[in-house]
């Protein structure tokens, strides 16, 4: 079963290893994702996020430098293993990679604050290959407010959303065909995008709040709005976004059975076409039954046990994301 994953933080971990003077091989390493694990998991495409922490305590840390260094790692990986993996910037790239038997890789950004409010930086990121971007991570920036809340993970931010600059970014992202990613965005920010977007958008790594009440997950109203806009949501394997006890993350566990329940809820509320995969690999800790990218057959079996047909499992695993990006790149 082919796999298309909307989100991982592997570039960040590879950069961190380089900075520590202990670079990791992309052929085989101790991370959730490497080329061997992608082979074992039968991946079609992995979205690689250039993730930025605006609160990085490193001396002289600069979010724009950080994102450019992670993009540089992405480019170097593509150049180092051209016979195994190749980037996707257009739908034609995906078809060519499939015909040549290669994995595909798509470049995304997690934290629009790396642009420092500059539309010029946004345009240059698009030229470098970025095809999807979250407006925030867990901190407010020039564009929008996040759903991280001092009141705790069960308290959603319904008061602050996109700034005036954020709306300008949304308009420019749509012109550039950079998909707006609402994962990490505040509830109000979600509705700002839902109400003002003219193109489909995505929640690359978010689950169902009805089953796991973490504020990073989507309400039923959000799922319906996302589906009505032709968008997709990627199932996130993070334990506190999967388990029903989101208030106690150290006690949470992510199982394939529980993920399948989230998929079933997505289907009930928004239809089968809204569901995709968004592992958050290399960005999550805790107890996870899907330990690495090599374990993806386990989730397919759980989806079948939950009652999904083979066509529906394929839709969740890759066809929905393939359709979405074929229409929106």
């Amino acid at each position: 079963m082919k796999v298309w994953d909307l989100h991982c933080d592997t570039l960040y971990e590879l950069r961190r290893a380089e900075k520590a003077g202990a670079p990791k091989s992309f052929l085989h390493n101790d991370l959730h994702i490497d080329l061997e694990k992608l082979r074992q998991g039968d991946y079609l495409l992995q979205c690689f996020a250039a993730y930025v922490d605006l609160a990085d305590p490193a001396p002289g840390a600069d979010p724009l430098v950080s994102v450019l260094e992670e993009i540089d790692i992405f480019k170097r990986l593509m150049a180092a293993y051209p016979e195994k993996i190749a980037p996707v910037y257009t739908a034609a790239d995906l078809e060519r990679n499939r015909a040549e038997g290669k994995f595909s890789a798509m470049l995304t950004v997690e934290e629009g604050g790396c642009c420092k409010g500059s539309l010029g930086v946004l345009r240059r990121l698009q030229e470098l290959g970025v095809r999807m971007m979250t407006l925030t991570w867990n901190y407010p920036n020039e564009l929008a407010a996040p759903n991280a809340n001092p009141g705790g993970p069960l308290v959603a931010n319904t008061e602050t959303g996109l700034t005036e600059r954020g709306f300008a970014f949304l308009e420019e992202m749509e012109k550039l065909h950079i998909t707006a990613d609402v994962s990490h965005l505040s509830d109000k920010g979600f509705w700002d995008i839902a109400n003002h977007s003219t193109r489909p958008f995505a929640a690359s790594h978010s689950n169902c709040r009805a089953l796991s009440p973490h504020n990073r997950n989507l309400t039923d109203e959000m799922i319906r709005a996302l589906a009505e806009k032709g968008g997709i949501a990627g199932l996130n394997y993070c334990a506190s976004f999967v388990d029903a006890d989101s208030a106690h993350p150290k006690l949470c566990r992510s199982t394939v059975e529980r993920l399948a329940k989230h998929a079933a809820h997505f289907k009930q509320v928004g239809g089968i076409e809204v569901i995709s995969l968004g592992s958050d690999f290399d960005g999550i800790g805790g107890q996870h039954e899907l330990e690495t990218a090599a374990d993806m057959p386990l989730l397919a079996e759980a989806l079948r046990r939950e009652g999904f047909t083979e066509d529906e499992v394929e839709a969740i695993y890759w066809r929905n994301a393939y359709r979405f990006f074929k229409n929106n790149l």
Side-chain angles (χ1 to χ4, degrees):
M1 180 72 66
K2 293 296 180 186
V3 175
W4 185 310
D5 182 354
L6 297 179
H7 185 81
C8 75
D9 290 309
T10 309
L11 296 177
Y12 175 83
E13 290 298 326
L14 293 173
R15 176 178 177 267
R16 187 164 72 163
E18 281 193 0
K19 292 289 186 182
K24 297 179 185 291
S25 167
F26 191 57
L27 281 174
H28 182 72
N29 57 47
D30 60 353
L31 300 176
H32 292 142
I33 289 175
D34 59 32
L35 283 173
E36 177 58 23
K37 297 182 185 82
L38 293 178
R39 184 193 66 79
Q40 292 173 344
D42 195 22
Y43 274 61
L44 175 64
L45 185 147
Q46 176 66 55
C47 290
F48 287 91
Y51 155 69
V52 177
D53 182 353
L54 294 183
D56 187 345
D62 184 308
L64 180 54
V65 171
S66 297
V67 79
L68 291 175
E69 288 182 347
E70 288 186 39
I71 291 173
D72 178 66
I73 289 174
F74 178 87
K75 300 287 188 178
R76 283 188 278 134
L77 293 179
M78 299 302 105
Y81 306 103
E83 74 287 355
K84 296 180 180 295
I85 190 167
V88 164
Y89 305 124
T90 68
D93 294 335
L94 176 63
E95 296 305 326
R96 182 176 61 254
N97 294 346
R98 290 183 70 185
E100 295 176 357
K102 300 176 183 179
F103 303 123
S104 286
M106 187 180 295
L107 183 60
T108 72
V109 165
E110 184 175 31
E111 177 54 271
C114 70
C115 296
K116 301 184 177 183
S118 168
L119 290 171
V121 171
L122 177 68
R123 288 188 282 267
R124 299 297 78 76
L125 291 179
Q126 194 275 346
E127 287 182 353
L128 288 171
V130 172
R131 294 297 181 265
M132 180 165 63
M133 185 176 80
T134 68
L135 275 72
T136 66
W137 184 56
N138 285 345
Y139 305 107
N141 60 30
E142 299 89 344
L143 309 181
N147 231 335
N149 194 309
L154 306 188
V155 182
N157 176 3
T158 60
E159 300 299 321
T160 51
L162 269 62
T163 65
E164 183 178 348
R165 197 61 175 165
F167 283 112
F169 260 67
L170 175 62
E171 182 179 354
E172 189 69 13
M173 287 169 69
E174 294 193 326
K175 289 178 183 176
L176 296 170
H177 287 215
I178 298 176
T179 293
D181 182 353
V182 297
S183 287
H184 285 285
L185 196 57
S186 69
D187 279 19
K188 186 175 187 304
F190 174 97
W191 289 112
D192 285 342
I193 287 186
N195 293 328
H196 291 86
S197 61
T198 62
R199 299 184 61 84
F201 60 96
S204 68
H205 53 305
S206 298
N207 294 335
C208 303
R209 207 177 293 179
L211 300 187
S212 181
H214 199 289
N215 57 26
R216 274 275 288 102
N217 288 337
L218 302 172
T219 66
D220 287 2
E221 292 78 13
M222 291 174 177
I223 294 169
R224 281 190 284 268
L226 183 66
E228 288 169 3
K229 283 280 190 172
I232 51 173
L235 291 169
N236 189 325
Y237 311 162
C238 180
S240 58
F241 304 162
V242 176
D243 200 298
D245 190 16
S246 298
H248 301 92
K250 292 184 178 179
L251 302 179
C252 291
R253 186 162 183 265
S254 175
T255 66
V256 292
E257 284 77 15
R258 188 72 183 172
L259 280 166
K261 295 292 184 186
H262 279 270
H265 190 80
F266 268 122
K267 177 185 173 183
Q268 179 184 21
V269 175
I272 189 67
E273 292 186 345
V274 79
I275 320 168
S276 190
L277 303 175
S279 67
D280 212 357
F281 274 150
D282 292 317
I284 52 176
Q287 303 180 70
H288 303 95
E289 191 169 358
L290 295 174
E291 294 182 341
T292 75
D295 297 323
M296 289 309 298
L298 297 176
L299 178 56
E301 287 300 321
L303 290 169
R304 295 180 186 108
R305 291 193 297 271
E306 185 64 26
F308 286 91
T309 67
E310 200 65 18
D311 281 349
E312 289 174 330
V313 176
E314 281 198 3
I316 294 168
Y317 259 55
W318 70 273
R319 281 198 286 107
N320 287 341
Y322 170 76
R323 181 197 67 252
F324 177 87
F325 283 103
K326 183 179 180 181
N327 293 334
N328 290 291
L329 282 178

